[in-house]
Amino acid sequence: MDPTTDNAGPTGDPDRARAALEALRAEIAKAVVGQDPAVTGLVVALLCRGHVLLEGVPGVAKTLLVRALAAALELDTKRVQFTPDLMPSDITGSLVYDARTAEFSFQPGPVFTHLLLADEINRTPPKTQSSLLEAMEERQVTVDGTPRPLPDPFLVAATQNPVEYEGTYPLPEAQLDRFLLKLTIPLPSRQDEIDVLTRHAEGFNPRDLRAAGVRPVATAADLDAARAAVAKTTVSPDITAYVVDICRATRESPSLTLGVSPRGATALLAASRAWAWLTGRDYVIPDDVKALALPTLRHRVQLRPEAEMEGVTADSVINAILTHVPVPR
């Protein structure tokens, strides 16, 4: 498969596409234990053509999760370890002089893939961060004045360590807003951790997903069919108003210095439509909005310092807003 070309097939059966995407959970579970919410979030992002920020301590299978998703979708994937000396051209690619032809040729960087794992994105300087975020937004890379489109589908899963900020370059709010979802990857439960160790004791190799039994269960054509079906999912005026009321409430919260922008409201609506379709409906209900509110909004708000000192979190503020905003009947 050539990741530099558009490999999307013709629009197919949406029911088959839904069944294929639902099968992803079981397939990825062969390699990753107990991360169903993160799998669902990644699928929602693919359906919305969005990107995902993964936050979790080292060693909770963030890399394995993305690799397993790519294997189950039969997509190309690459991983980049972000470091302070990483340059923009290390991500996007650059012109290289060919002595045989006496001409410069473009050598694509790792961004030319379907699923890109940007590991510890906050460890690289803003210039390199912005080169990746530009590719995320424009879905193309321009080198020497020539635009080069990225493959479709294209998803960036960027990771952050939530407990180690020394020597990092935190993403500013405007750049965080470019991510559709922020998914938290928790430490596993006791039983899940026992299952992980049991698999390793039985010979599981996280670098060999084929041996673990992970096989393709969905394709880019299934994603095309699913996206077309999501675009037809009905949103009533009451649901639209409900999304707006939730986002406006964040701007009025005494615990926040920054509320959700209209782009965030658009993201919440898009994610809710994708979730509604995945659950088997062609219309959005308030529960869909509630289900996606935390991952869609938690990185788009900023806490007041005094609220943070009192133990208030972005999630607790959003949950309180969901409790108080009237739900449409």
Side-chain angles (χ1 to χ4, degrees):
M1 181 182 299
D2 182 1
T4 64
T5 61
D6 187 343
N7 68 340
T11 300
D13 179 8
D15 291 332
R16 179 196 179 283
R18 184 187 289 113
L21 294 178
E22 286 175 351
L24 283 176
R25 286 195 188 94
E27 204 62 27
I28 293 173
K30 295 177 181 178
V32 181
V33 177
Q35 296 294 356
D36 279 356
V39 173
T40 300
L42 287 166
V43 173
V44 166
L46 281 168
L47 293 177
C48 298
R49 299 180 187 272
H51 306 283
V52 173
L53 191 62
L54 298 172
E55 188 170 271
V57 298
V60 289
K62 297 186 293 294
T63 301
L64 181 60
L65 176 62
V66 175
R67 289 181 56 242
L69 176 66
L73 278 170
E74 203 172 15
L75 297 176
D76 186 66
T77 183
K78 291 189 174 78
R79 174 182 175 272
V80 178
Q81 179 66 52
F82 279 66
T83 57
D85 60 348
L86 199 70
M87 299 295 292
S89 59
D90 296 330
I91 304 296
T92 61
S94 58
L95 294 176
V96 177
Y97 182 73
D98 188 340
R100 293 173 300 176
T101 62
E103 294 179 349
F104 285 92
S105 61
F106 178 68
Q107 296 298 316
V111 76
F112 286 87
T113 187
H114 295 119
L115 273 68
L116 175 68
L117 180 66
D119 219 349
E120 294 190 288
I121 189 174
N122 56 339
R123 289 207 172 277
T124 200
K127 186 174 183 180
T128 304
Q129 289 177 358
S130 63
S131 69
L132 173 62
L133 293 168
E134 180 183 5
M136 291 163 52
E137 186 69 16
E138 304 298 332
R139 297 186 179 272
Q140 67 177 24
V141 169
T142 301
V143 177
D144 196 31
T146 302
R148 293 174 169 84
L150 295 174
D152 183 37
F154 173 63
L155 179 143
V156 172
T159 72
Q160 285 191 152
N161 182 346
V163 296
E164 188 180 3
Y165 289 107
E166 184 177 351
T168 64
Y169 305 85
L171 293 173
E173 283 69 27
Q175 293 184 354
L176 285 171
D177 202 34
R178 304 289 178 177
F179 287 92
L180 178 73
L181 304 175
K182 178 181 177 180
L183 304 175
T184 56
I185 311 296
L187 288 166
S189 67
R190 181 177 183 273
Q191 186 56 54
D192 284 344
E193 196 162 2
I194 290 174
D195 291 344
V196 170
L197 266 64
T198 300
R199 289 186 182 191
H200 280 266
E202 292 173 351
F204 171 71
N205 181 0
R207 295 174 180 81
D208 189 357
L209 295 179
R210 187 179 296 275
V214 179
R215 59 184 179 83
V217 294
T219 65
D222 291 322
L223 276 177
D224 274 353
R227 286 169 172 174
V230 169
K232 297 176 182 177
T233 303
T234 303
V235 182
S236 70
D238 286 344
I239 293 295
T240 303
Y242 182 51
V243 171
V244 169
D245 289 343
I246 290 171
C247 294
R248 290 181 68 84
T250 65
R251 302 168 203 163
E252 300 166 359
S253 171
S255 299
L256 302 176
T257 59
L258 179 69
V260 177
S261 69
R263 181 191 288 128
T266 302
L268 178 54
L269 183 62
S272 301
R273 293 177 83 184
W275 175 244
W277 180 82
L278 279 172
T279 53
R281 279 176 283 101
D282 60 357
Y283 57 91
V284 180
I285 62 175
D287 283 349
D288 299 325
V289 179
K290 290 181 178 180
L292 272 297
L294 284 179
T296 310
L297 304 182
R298 60 165 55 110
H299 58 297
R300 304 176 193 270
V301 300
Q302 188 174 42
L303 289 168
R304 292 188 182 278
E306 55 269 28
E308 200 165 4
M309 291 177 63
E310 293 173 0
V312 176
T313 64
D315 284 13
S316 65
V317 172
I318 295 168
N319 279 326
I321 287 171
L322 292 174
T323 301
H324 290 97
V325 172
V327 179
R329 299 295 179 184

